[in-house]
Amino acid sequence: MSQPEKQSYGSDAPVVIGKGIIIKGRMQSEEDVFLNGEMEGDLNIENCRLTIGPDGNVAANARAREVDISGTLTGNVESSEKTCIRSSGRLTGDVKTRGIVIEEGALFKGNVEILTRPEPVREAKNGE
């Protein structure tokens, strides 16, 4: 009999902030971050994935390639690729992203701005 697949919530990320840990200030990382504790300040996860775990409680502006929210985030989100608010997730703040997924049961209060990919620059041919 096979075991049901467990959702890891991104806990295999190189940087894990566990339940019970409280951070006040600015966090910057060039690796994926799984935040399941408390954070107040700013999150800058350059070109990587930020996961707010089910016990995560964050009051911060967040910037990352991808943002996945299963806990609570109060602040603005900027993601260069995708933002996902899971059914247990709570987001209060504005979102700038290329794509967004809001699961049934999620709470979202704010505005969404969908970013477009930049147009490729075409080289001019001789005579144009």
Side-chain angles (χ1 to χ4, degrees), residues 5-61:
E5 190 174 318
K6 286 178 64 179
Q7 188 171 1
S8 69
Y9 292 107
S11 59
D12 56 347
V15 179
V16 176
I17 308 299
K19 186 177 176 180
I21 296 177
I22 300 170
I23 298 174
K24 291 187 179 190
R26 182 168 193 241
M27 179 189 295
Q28 184 164 339
S29 177
E30 294 180 10
E31 295 184 303
D32 292 351
V33 172
F34 177 74
L35 203 161
N36 206 32
E38 293 183 35
M39 168 77 188
E40 184 181 318
D42 283 310
L43 288 162
N44 189 10
I45 313 304
E46 297 178 26
N47 300 314
C48 294
R49 179 182 175 95
L50 169 64
T51 302
I52 308 298
D55 294 311
N57 189 359
V58 178
N61 292 324

Side-chain angles (χ1 to χ4, degrees), residues 38-90:
E38 293 183 35
M39 168 77 188
E40 184 181 318
D42 283 310
L43 288 162
N44 189 10
I45 313 304
E46 297 178 26
N47 300 314
C48 294
R49 179 182 175 95
L50 169 64
T51 302
I52 308 298
D55 294 311
N57 189 359
V58 178
N61 292 324
R63 287 172 299 286
R65 184 189 71 232
E66 292 181 42
V67 178
D68 193 303
I69 303 165
S70 295
T72 301
L73 175 65
T74 303
N76 297 328
V77 172
E78 288 184 41
S79 63
S80 58
E81 292 298 325
K82 180 173 80 170
T83 300
C84 183
I85 308 169
R86 303 290 177 183
S87 60
S88 62
R90 306 285 179 258

